[in-house]
Amino acid sequence: MSPGLVDYEAAVAAMEARVEAIAAGEAQELVWLLEHPPLYTAGVSSRPGDLLEPGRFPVFRSGRGGQFTYHGPGQRVAYVMLDLTARSRDVRGFVAALQAWIIDSLAGLGVTGLVRDGRVGVWVERAGPDGLAADAKIAAIGVKLRRWVSFHGISLNVAPDLSHFSGIVPCGLPDHGVTSLAELGARATLPEADAALKGAFGRMFGPIADVAAPDVPGVLSAPSGGV
């Protein structure tokens, strides 16, 4: 895990270097936990019209799958660098495993996560403005493969400023909102969310060990620490 807010471009460069090393058999797999300063990223399927406030935060074009998303303090980003050649060259199965990992993690925090057909990511059901049940996204997934090594990954909304999502159409879905553990009343800190993610990852993908995070420039401030 990296402390502080990690510069996005520095993180992507570190990921790409690690992916090449994993593919060459020179480095181990890695799941990198971090936070970014406020920013928007555009995946390969993003539509220009879904960027509603272009000048609000920095915007980065990303090679990951998906559309526009937001990263910022209080959101746990997990960059997942796994060798699918050694595991299974099944892209759909890998995305499904990431969704199951998040759902298991949320269960440990007292929240029921859901998968919806045709919508990548993890959702929860909550009351909408009209009082009826409506879906809201609590975790986004966007991955890329290079030589069958994955990178980019997932983002889990622990306690970010949800108003920051209003500058985009999140994941290109205008009819669905976003939520967080804090908004749902789950009193989880970032360290508690990390513990849930680590435990569920081991159950889903196999044994893990804590290792040093990539050494990158651009750590901007102290970590938010949760809610």
Side-chain angles (χ1 to χ4, degrees), residues 46-182:
S46 60
R47 299 183 292 261
D50 286 345
L51 179 61
L52 305 178
E53 298 181 35
R56 185 170 186 180
F57 296 125
V59 179
F60 296 94
R61 298 290 161 183
S62 170
R64 60 161 175 81
Q67 303 187 42
F68 276 102
T69 194
Y70 165 78
H71 295 313
Q75 181 192 72
R76 175 54 76 216
V77 174
Y79 288 136
V80 182
M81 291 161 268
L82 299 182
D83 184 357
L84 299 194
T85 295
R87 293 172 177 271
S88 174
R89 289 190 176 190
D90 179 353
V91 178
R92 288 188 178 181
F94 177 56
V95 172
L98 293 176
Q99 291 179 142
W101 169 37
I102 297 166
I103 289 170
D104 190 7
S105 303
L106 290 173
L109 298 168
V111 172
T112 300
L114 304 166
V115 173
R116 297 304 195 199
D117 289 342
R119 293 190 243 140
V120 176
V122 175
W123 303 78
V124 298
E125 197 173 78
R126 65 173 185 182
D130 56 5
L132 300 177
D135 287 346
K137 183 173 256 187
I138 194 166
I141 296 175
V143 296
K144 183 175 181 178
L145 299 179
R146 181 175 296 162
R147 296 168 64 186
W148 287 102
V149 178
S150 68
F151 60 121
H152 295 280
I154 69 108
S155 57
L156 173 64
N157 295 332
V158 180
D161 185 338
L162 294 178
S163 71
H164 291 177
F165 284 90
S166 65
I168 57 173
V169 177
C171 301
L173 298 170
D175 298 328
H176 300 283
V178 293
T179 191
S180 66
L181 291 171

Side-chain angles (χ1 to χ4, degrees), residues 172-217:
L173 298 170
D175 298 328
H176 300 283
V178 293
T179 191
S180 66
L181 291 171
E183 186 183 57
L184 294 171
R187 303 297 299 173
T189 63
L190 276 171
E192 288 167 340
D194 291 343
L197 286 166
K198 289 178 183 179
F201 187 91
R203 291 188 291 272
M204 178 61 60
F205 293 99
I208 61 173
D210 287 333
V211 298
D215 184 14
V216 296

